[in-house]
Amino acid sequence: MLKHDLFHLCLQNLLRKRSRTFLTVLGVVIGGCSIVIMVSLGIGMKEAQDKLLAQLGDLTIITVTAPQGGRGKLKLDDKLVQRLKALEGVEAVTPRQSLEADSVRLKAGAGGRYVADWVPIAGLDAAGMEAMGYKLERGEGIARAGEAVVGQYIAYNFRDTLRPEGADTVDRWAAGWDDKGQPLPPPDPYFDPLKVPLVLELEQGGKKTTLTLKAVGMAKEDYSKGVETGEGLLLDLREVRELAEKLGAVKKGASPYGSILVKVRDLDRVSGLERQIRAMGCATESMESIRGPMEKEARQKQMMLGGLGAISLVVAAIGITNTMIMSISERTREIGIMKALGCFVRDIRALFLAEAGVIGLLGGLVSCAVSLATGLVVNLVALGGLSPDNLRLAALGGEGPARVCVTPPWLLLFAVAFSVLIGLGSGYYPAAKAVRIPALEAIKSE
């Protein structure tokens, strides 16, 4: 039998019993939609988790510290920095030194009008900031002594000494949030820290020192690299060491550096590199301790939701089997005539398998279309209604709120292929039963 004839006969048989074919395809559609929508919800939950973690900072940064608060045998020095750089999968390494003192005060404006009574300070290798993934909102990085990169929101830590207490600061969160739960742009601070000189006053154990700084850049807030990116100062590492020595804040026998930041090339390598660094005798800290359990939970939810959807498709498979068995019972005489005319057994089997496969294919295609439309509507409702921006975000994703349903192309292809496979699997037994019917007995059948 030619393939064209086989396909024509297949469609003819399916259209002969339109109502039954429609109901069988509908069962596959319901099963396919259950799988696609359930898995899309699981992927949407994972996307929301990834966006939440991304707000916390760079997920590829490992912070290395010495055990026992730096009093152990292992020292965070240049030798250790070189060992860390030699590890496979490491993109960049930079030492980091916090500057701690009894009193840290930052002043700005004429006569020191604006004062910040608390300022976290960290020293970094200025040449390695770009390689470590430090991002700047404005300006440029540190190039020489006396320069600083300020945190993105440091200006909101200043109080105006000419205003009464309680009304002397600008509330960064005063603008509130929009209807999508995103923070609105904060109000303008008293001054732009990139346009005025900053005077740093430090005191430790009775020793005082003052340093005038020029802010050359503003860092983008990233707490994985330190609170300084949001509300503090980033200085050159050598300058921080000199300040610490002047104040006598460097303890004898302590590690040269307070910590070492390691940037990993690939997110999947973070956990493995953490184990290697711990084996060297260091303590580590990264977002992996949060991301790992969350990702595992997301996978479990996806499997659970996909399993619930698969149950519906199994029920649809039973419906296909029932439809094909009924079709054989009604077409027993037709099968006998086909055998008597010399039709090969493989053609009869192929005919019934083709009918079952077409039912699965139609159900899979329709279920994909319905699932895409349903996911789009759900996303639009979650985003607050129909608008050009919401429509783009609901369909393609991007910056902004996470989508509830995320349907990648591979999921649609899987749904169609799985539906066809279910159809063929359900039609195998009826097809095998059809070819076993003796031709003479089939022809005598009424």
Side-chain angles (χ1 to χ4, degrees), residues 15 64 108 172 193 198 241 243 280 293:
L15 293 174
V64 181
R172 172 184 164 190
L198 303 174
R241 293 292 296 181
L243 289 170
M280 295 164 60

mmCIF file of all heavy atoms in Angstrom, residues 15 64 108 172 193 198 241 243 280 293:
data_model
loop_
_atom_site.group_PDB
_atom_site.id
_atom_site.type_symbol
_atom_site.label_atom_id
_atom_site.label_comp_id
_atom_site.label_asym_id
_atom_site.label_seq_id
_atom_site.Cartn_x
_atom_site.Cartn_y
_atom_site.Cartn_z
ATOM 1 N N LEU A 15 -12.521 10.323 10.125
ATOM 2 C CA LEU A 15 -13.651 11.214 9.872
ATOM 3 C C LEU A 15 -14.981 10.479 9.798
ATOM 4 O O LEU A 15 -16.033 11.104 9.897
ATOM 5 C CB LEU A 15 -13.408 11.994 8.577
ATOM 6 C CG LEU A 15 -12.248 12.994 8.606
ATOM 7 C CD1 LEU A 15 -12.025 13.593 7.222
ATOM 8 C CD2 LEU A 15 -12.511 14.098 9.635
ATOM 9 N N VAL A 64 36.286 33.820 50.647
ATOM 10 C CA VAL A 64 37.196 32.923 51.361
ATOM 11 C C VAL A 64 37.711 33.638 52.604
ATOM 12 O O VAL A 64 38.214 34.761 52.524
ATOM 13 C CB VAL A 64 38.379 32.503 50.469
ATOM 14 C CG1 VAL A 64 39.310 31.557 51.212
ATOM 15 C CG2 VAL A 64 37.875 31.862 49.183
ATOM 16 N N ALA A 108 30.653 65.730 54.300
ATOM 17 C CA ALA A 108 30.578 66.335 52.968
ATOM 18 C C ALA A 108 29.906 67.696 53.085
ATOM 19 O O ALA A 108 29.233 67.997 54.079
ATOM 20 C CB ALA A 108 29.802 65.428 52.018
ATOM 21 N N ARG A 172 15.208 56.714 51.955
ATOM 22 C CA ARG A 172 15.372 56.073 50.645
ATOM 23 C C ARG A 172 14.098 55.378 50.174
ATOM 24 O O ARG A 172 13.823 55.285 48.979
ATOM 25 C CB ARG A 172 16.518 55.067 50.743
ATOM 26 C CG ARG A 172 16.713 54.180 49.536
ATOM 27 C CD ARG A 172 17.822 53.188 49.836
ATOM 28 N NE ARG A 172 17.818 52.075 48.905
ATOM 29 C CZ ARG A 172 18.556 50.972 49.052
ATOM 30 N NH1 ARG A 172 19.356 50.857 50.090
ATOM 31 N NH2 ARG A 172 18.493 50.004 48.172
ATOM 32 N N PRO A 193 27.239 62.563 45.797
ATOM 33 C CA PRO A 193 28.569 62.277 46.355
ATOM 34 C C PRO A 193 29.697 62.299 45.322
ATOM 35 O O PRO A 193 30.862 62.368 45.708
ATOM 36 C CB PRO A 193 28.404 60.875 46.957
ATOM 37 C CG PRO A 193 27.219 60.291 46.270
ATOM 38 C CD PRO A 193 26.316 61.435 45.944
ATOM 39 N N LEU A 198 34.810 64.339 49.867
ATOM 40 C CA LEU A 198 34.393 63.606 51.053
ATOM 41 C C LEU A 198 35.560 63.566 52.035
ATOM 42 O O LEU A 198 36.702 63.300 51.648
ATOM 43 C CB LEU A 198 33.976 62.177 50.688
ATOM 44 C CG LEU A 198 32.858 62.035 49.658
ATOM 45 C CD1 LEU A 198 32.652 60.567 49.288
ATOM 46 C CD2 LEU A 198 31.554 62.620 50.188
ATOM 47 N N ARG A 241 45.401 49.468 53.976
ATOM 48 C CA ARG A 241 46.455 48.914 54.847
ATOM 49 C C ARG A 241 47.211 50.046 55.547
ATOM 50 O O ARG A 241 47.521 49.952 56.745
ATOM 51 C CB ARG A 241 47.411 48.070 54.024
ATOM 52 C CG ARG A 241 46.834 46.796 53.453
ATOM 53 C CD ARG A 241 46.512 45.780 54.508
ATOM 54 N NE ARG A 241 47.688 45.311 55.204
ATOM 55 C CZ ARG A 241 47.665 44.397 56.182
ATOM 56 N NH1 ARG A 241 46.510 43.895 56.563
ATOM 57 N NH2 ARG A 241 48.767 44.014 56.776
ATOM 58 N N LEU A 243 46.076 53.055 56.294
ATOM 59 C CA LEU A 243 45.206 53.643 57.308
ATOM 60 C C LEU A 243 45.130 52.762 58.546
ATOM 61 O O LEU A 243 45.156 53.257 59.689
ATOM 62 C CB LEU A 243 43.807 53.866 56.736
ATOM 63 C CG LEU A 243 43.654 54.982 55.699
ATOM 64 C CD1 LEU A 243 42.273 54.916 55.061
ATOM 65 C CD2 LEU A 243 43.885 56.348 56.332
ATOM 66 N N MET A 280 41.557 23.008 51.358
ATOM 67 C CA MET A 280 42.829 23.697 51.556
ATOM 68 C C MET A 280 42.944 24.268 52.975
ATOM 69 O O MET A 280 44.002 24.787 53.355
ATOM 70 C CB MET A 280 42.965 24.831 50.526
ATOM 71 C CG MET A 280 43.052 24.336 49.095
ATOM 72 S SD MET A 280 42.759 25.652 47.852
ATOM 73 C CE MET A 280 44.077 26.782 48.246
ATOM 74 N N PRO A 293 19.639 24.416 47.725
ATOM 75 C CA PRO A 293 18.363 23.874 48.229
ATOM 76 C C PRO A 293 17.149 24.398 47.468
ATOM 77 O O PRO A 293 16.191 23.657 47.236
ATOM 78 C CB PRO A 293 18.353 24.339 49.691
ATOM 79 C CG PRO A 293 19.785 24.538 50.039
ATOM 80 C CD PRO A 293 20.432 25.032 48.788
#
